[in-house]
Amino acid sequence: MTLQEFYDAYIGCLNRQDWDELRRYVADDVKHNGRPLGLSGYRSMLIKDFEDIPDLRFVIDRLVCDPPLIAARLMFNCSPKGHFLGLKINGRRISFAENVFYEVKGGKIIDVLSAIDKTSIENQIA
């Protein structure tokens, strides 16, 4: 399986909310933005994201794979229920991008660095 195929399968797992399958893609000691979450913390973070944003869907806009790294620009068009990134959204539809870098080791994601374009959201709700 190529790194691109691996990432496509990982994104499919997220969009299906197949939390039992997540362990196939994410290491037990995964870090997110420098925080050691572990697989259970990472899973909890994703579950909360889907609870807060019921229509959440990860869409790959750009993808570069240079083993062991993956760089992706993900696009979102969704309606968070309440607050999102400290902004009062309350069900309004917003669109934004997330730029994210992953490190893969031993066939699993061990490190995730993520930055969401909050400015574009602020411009939409102003």
Side-chain angles (χ1 to χ4, degrees):
M1 175 182 297
T2 68
L3 212 48
Q4 181 174 345
E5 291 167 335
F6 168 85
Y7 190 69
D8 286 339
Y10 165 72
I11 292 297
C13 173
L14 298 184
N15 284 332
R16 288 189 310 278
Q17 300 179 53
D18 188 347
W19 307 127
D20 291 333
E21 188 177 312
L22 189 62
R23 70 180 61 255
R24 293 182 58 199
Y25 306 100
V26 179
D28 289 335
D29 57 347
V30 68
K31 293 181 192 171
H32 182 268
N33 286 344
R35 298 176 305 159
L37 291 182
L39 177 58
S40 64
Y42 193 77
R43 176 182 168 152
S44 294
M45 176 186 71
L46 289 165
I47 290 171
K48 182 170 179 3
D49 288 345
F50 277 94
E51 288 171 356
D52 293 346
I53 311 170
D55 61 348
L56 182 62
R57 180 157 178 78
F58 292 75
V59 177
I60 301 169
D61 179 51
R62 299 194 180 180
L63 180 64
V64 177
C65 299
D66 186 12
L69 302 176
I70 298 170
R73 181 174 192 248
L74 302 173
M75 296 302 299
F76 300 92
N77 184 341
C78 56
S79 307
K81 291 193 298 192
H83 284 78
F84 178 65
L85 300 176
L87 302 171
K88 190 174 181 180
I89 306 298
N90 290 339
R92 285 183 279 182
R93 181 157 295 280
I94 56 172
S95 297
F96 61 93
E98 175 185 19
N99 296 306
V100 62
F101 294 88
Y102 305 84
E103 182 177 353
V104 177
K105 185 175 179 182
K108 294 187 179 187
I109 296 167
I110 62 163
D111 195 20
V112 182
L113 299 170
S114 164
I116 293 176
D117 184 2
K118 185 176 177 181
T119 302
S120 71
I121 299 169
E122 291 168 337
N123 291 337
Q124 293 171 64
I125 64 171

